[in-house]
Amino acid sequence: MVEWLLVAFTMVVQSSVGLVLMSGLYIYWFKCESNTWQYSTIFVQKILLRTLLVSSLLAGVGLITSLNVMEHPFRVYCILQNVMPEWINIETAFASIYFGSLVLYTLFFAVIKRIHLYIILIIGGIGLIDLYYMAIICVQNTMFVWNNVNTYFLFYGAVFTLGPALSMLFIGYPLAKRYQGKLPVKLVMSTLLVVFISVIMRIIEHPAYMEWLTEITKIDNDDIIYPNQVKFNIKSDFGLKMLSWCLYIIAMTLWTCSLWKGKSNLLTNNNYFILLGAAIVFIAEIINQYTFFMMLKI
């Protein structure tokens, strides 16, 4: 069950960072649509405030699970072996900065009622740095299957699948359900493009990872921890990866169908395509993350 705790921990942080970054993209589209931005300020502010609150909540949960306060039982890094404390301290510091800056800006936005795109992007950048050190902690672990660039693809790729899915649920769907025109199309197309690039990058990288994994498993080294039935786990990893990629394709197909069936009234007539696609993306990402952390079984 320890792998599921790591899956939950990483997905919570990735979802928060991805939602913040996609909020910045959506804010850009909102401001481009001057009518939506000028005449629907209160409604847009409520949507953005709710999104920032959700992002802050996710960031807070991620920070709590990484802190070591009075031997907190949810400290996920205790699961890993031979992790350098320096990396954990750096990651915790950036997680604290990310959470603190996000909460402060959420409070600022709630009072001032003005959104600043560059601040949103800066906060998202801090979140990406935090994820970088989370990935380093896994790479520096004695689990040999994680000592590869594939780890970085997993951590950052999930940001740009979970983030778009959440942004469609919390921003795109409620806003575009109320307004018609080009804005709903732009929101769905931008979400579809981000997810497509994220999935394609991981698909392109995966064969190189599998080739490296095949070579490294032939090496007998006492300093490397080999999971039980490692060959079986590697085969299971490949099968589950195939399943997750198929689910990604299904989700993107549903979003494409929503664009194809009606651009002028996109999310009113085809909202089930949008919501179902977002749900499938989450399922696919859970499977994808599990294939990574299931190697922890020793």
Side-chain angles (χ1 to χ4, degrees):
M1 293 297 293
V2 293
E3 64 272 14
W4 286 110
L5 180 59
L6 288 168
V7 169
F9 168 61
T10 53
M11 288 187 65
V12 162
V13 179
Q14 290 160 342
S15 297
S16 176
V17 177
L19 185 55
V20 170
L21 292 173
M22 287 301 297
S23 298
L25 178 61
Y26 280 15
I27 290 168
Y28 171 78
W29 287 126
F30 296 159
K31 289 190 174 183
C32 288
E33 293 288 333
S34 57
N35 291 333
T36 301
W37 188 256
Q38 292 177 2
Y39 301 111
S40 308
T41 304
I42 297 178
F43 182 75
V44 172
Q45 287 174 351
K46 289 181 179 179
I47 295 297
L48 294 177
L49 179 59
R50 182 174 62 184
T51 303
L52 291 174
L53 288 173
V54 172
S55 299
S56 300
L57 177 62
L58 293 173
V61 172
L63 177 61
I64 290 173
T65 54
S66 64
L67 287 175
N68 187 16
V69 181
M70 298 180 64
E71 301 299 328
H72 199 284
F74 296 107
R75 181 170 168 79
V76 293
Y77 293 129
C78 294
I79 299 172
L80 304 177
Q81 299 184 24
N82 300 327
V83 179
M84 295 180 62
E86 293 80 4
W87 292 121
I88 296 179
N89 293 335
I90 295 174
E91 188 279 325
T92 303
F94 274 103
S96 302
I97 295 172
Y98 171 68
F99 173 69
S101 59
L102 185 56
V103 170
L104 288 176
Y105 186 71
T106 301
L107 295 175
F108 173 81
F109 176 69
V111 175
I112 304 300
K113 306 296 183 183
R114 292 185 60 186
I115 195 73
H116 301 83
L117 177 58
Y118 65 93
I119 296 180
I120 292 292
L121 295 179
I122 290 174
I123 295 174
I126 297 173
L128 291 177
I129 296 174
D130 178 39
L131 284 171
Y132 171 75
Y133 284 102
M134 287 174 60
I136 284 183
I137 291 172
C138 291
V139 170
Q140 297 296 328
N141 189 262
T142 51
M143 291 295 298
F144 78 100
V145 293
W146 294 351
N147 302 332
N148 187 270
V149 70
N150 175 72
T151 301
Y152 298 100
F153 274 87
L154 174 85
F155 273 78
Y156 283 115
V159 171
F160 298 105
T161 53
L162 295 172
L166 279 175
S167 62
M168 282 302 300
L169 293 176
F170 289 104
I171 305 177
Y173 175 71
L175 190 72
K177 187 177 181 180
R178 179 169 177 173
Y179 301 102
Q180 301 180 10
K182 295 182 179 180
L183 179 61
V185 178
K186 290 180 179 179
L187 296 181
V188 176
M189 288 186 66
S190 59
T191 301
L192 181 60
L193 180 62
V194 171
V195 174
F196 176 78
I197 294 175
S198 174
V199 173
I200 287 297
M201 291 294 291
R202 284 193 274 183
I203 290 177
I204 293 174
E205 183 273 339
H206 193 68
Y209 171 67
M210 293 302 296
E211 182 179 356
W212 172 83
L213 204 57
T214 302
E215 292 296 326
I216 199 67
T217 51
K218 297 178 182 178
I219 301 175
D220 186 12
N221 191 330
D222 294 335
D223 295 330
I224 298 177
I225 295 178
Y226 289 88
N228 292 332
Q229 300 179 338
V230 63
K231 292 183 179 180
F232 174 78
N233 282 348
I234 292 174
K235 291 180 180 179
S236 300
D237 172 87
F238 183 75
L240 290 173
K241 284 283 187 181
M242 292 295 104
L243 175 60
S244 67
W245 290 337
C246 290
L247 291 175
Y248 284 131
I249 293 172
I250 292 173
M252 290 187 288
T253 302
L254 289 173
W255 286 342
T256 304
C257 288
S258 68
L259 290 171
W260 181 266
K261 291 184 67 175
K263 293 184 177 181
S264 61
N265 204 14
L266 180 63
L267 294 182
T268 301
N269 294 332
N270 305 298
N271 52 20
Y272 53 91
F273 281 144
I274 301 298
L275 299 178
L276 183 59
I280 292 176
V281 166
F282 274 102
I283 295 173
E285 195 57 52
I286 290 173
I287 296 173
N288 208 1
Q289 299 273 343
Y290 177 74
T291 60
F292 179 80
F293 289 111
M294 75 176 184
M295 293 296 181
L296 192 63
K297 297 178 180 179
I298 299 175

